[in-house]
Amino acid sequence: MQMQTGFRFNLTPVKEPLGFVKVVEWLTAVLAFGTCGGYTGRNVVSIICGGSSNETLSATFTYPFRFGPSNNTLCNRTVPATHLVGDSSSSVEFFVAVAILAFLYSMMALLVYLGYMHVYRDSDFGPMFDFVLTAVFAFLWLVCSSAWARGLQTVKDATSTAGIESTLALCTDRDVRCEVTDYASMRSLNISVIFGFLNLILWVGNAWFVYKETPAGRGPNPAPI
């Protein structure tokens, strides 16, 4: 008998763990890259230029976390554009890339579940392909979330008083003292790390439900009576 491959809209899969978890994965992927991809922070640095002369530096840093002073001249010295100490750009860009790819795959998988579940379950390729990619994304979430958690700590260190002092050559002068007096809130960045590890848990858990759809997970077919 020829297998029917046309689109058949059916909400039943999202009421089951297989589809429901995919919906949650889609949402948490959006929240993961949304909480760090558009981030902008600003630290205010007070600079004492020897004697009683004071200057204020606004150090703005945005995704992927490089900043340059908004003042070109401080303490009668020209201050060039400056980058954060350390390299956090690669880890956060990797994190955002994984989140976007997970978002796109979750959306594609949901389309298959809602319209082509009869094809998905009548073939061995669909469940196996889904399982392999789900396992790959679980591994990628582990790697990128761990890397970004470490990268975020690097950002925090680089934007502290000690980090600013080691970044700006001006602050190394004997008669100049720098101190961060107003710190940017990094709450959304902390939340992005939490969503990263939450996605790891979701994708690992979802791998089990997808595995149950594969031939190995379904077990041998019962012998005909």
Side-chain angles (χ1 to χ4, degrees):
M1 184 174 69
Q2 185 177 6
M3 183 174 63
Q4 298 296 319
T5 59
F7 184 86
R8 298 179 188 174
F9 183 72
N10 184 5
L11 284 174
T12 301
V14 298
K15 300 176 184 179
E16 301 172 355
L18 180 69
F20 178 76
V21 175
K22 267 294 187 286
V23 174
V24 178
E25 288 173 346
W26 176 82
L27 178 61
T28 53
V30 173
L31 294 173
F33 68 76
T35 49
C36 68
Y39 178 84
T40 298
R42 183 177 67 91
N43 280 6
V44 176
V45 184
S46 178
I47 301 175
I48 301 175
C49 309
S52 59
S53 175
N54 292 338
E55 297 274 4
T56 299
L57 168 66
S58 294
T60 301
F61 49 100
T62 62
Y63 172 87
F65 305 105
R66 302 183 180 95
F67 78 90
S70 58
N71 309 61
N72 292 325
T73 304
L74 293 167
C75 301
N76 298 319
R77 299 170 177 83
T78 299
V79 180
T82 308
H83 296 279
L84 290 171
V85 173
D87 182 11
S88 300
S89 59
S90 58
S91 61
V92 71
E93 286 171 342
F94 178 42
F95 180 83
V96 169
V98 171
I100 292 175
L101 289 174
F103 162 77
L104 293 175
Y105 179 67
S106 297
M107 190 164 54
M108 183 186 71
L110 282 172
L111 176 63
V112 173
Y113 293 169
L114 294 176
Y116 297 95
M117 200 60 174
H118 56 291
V119 178
Y120 179 91
R121 283 181 167 154
D122 284 344
S123 68
D124 293 339
F125 173 78
M128 282 302 302
F129 180 80
D130 193 13
F131 173 71
V132 170
L133 278 187
T134 301
V136 168
F137 271 109
F139 174 74
L140 289 176
W141 277 117
L142 171 63
V143 175
C144 75
S145 299
S146 301
W148 172 222
R150 184 170 182 176
L152 177 55
Q153 186 58 52
T154 299
V155 172
K156 293 178 178 179
D157 293 340
T159 54
S160 65
T161 294
I164 295 294
E165 287 179 341
S166 61
T167 299
L168 295 177
L170 171 69
C171 298
T172 61
D173 291 355
R174 295 182 58 184
D175 59 340
V176 176
R177 186 166 64 88
C178 302
E179 181 181 359
V180 178
T181 56
D182 188 7
Y183 285 91
S185 173
M186 296 190 183
R187 183 179 304 169
S188 67
L189 300 183
N190 293 328
I191 292 174
S192 71
V193 173
I194 294 173
F195 276 122
F197 287 106
L198 176 59
N199 271 288
L200 167 62
I201 295 171
L202 288 171
W203 285 82
V204 169
N206 195 34
W208 168 252
F209 295 115
V210 177
Y211 172 75
K212 298 297 288 183
E213 298 292 330
T214 64
R218 289 194 300 263
N221 293 325
I225 300 177

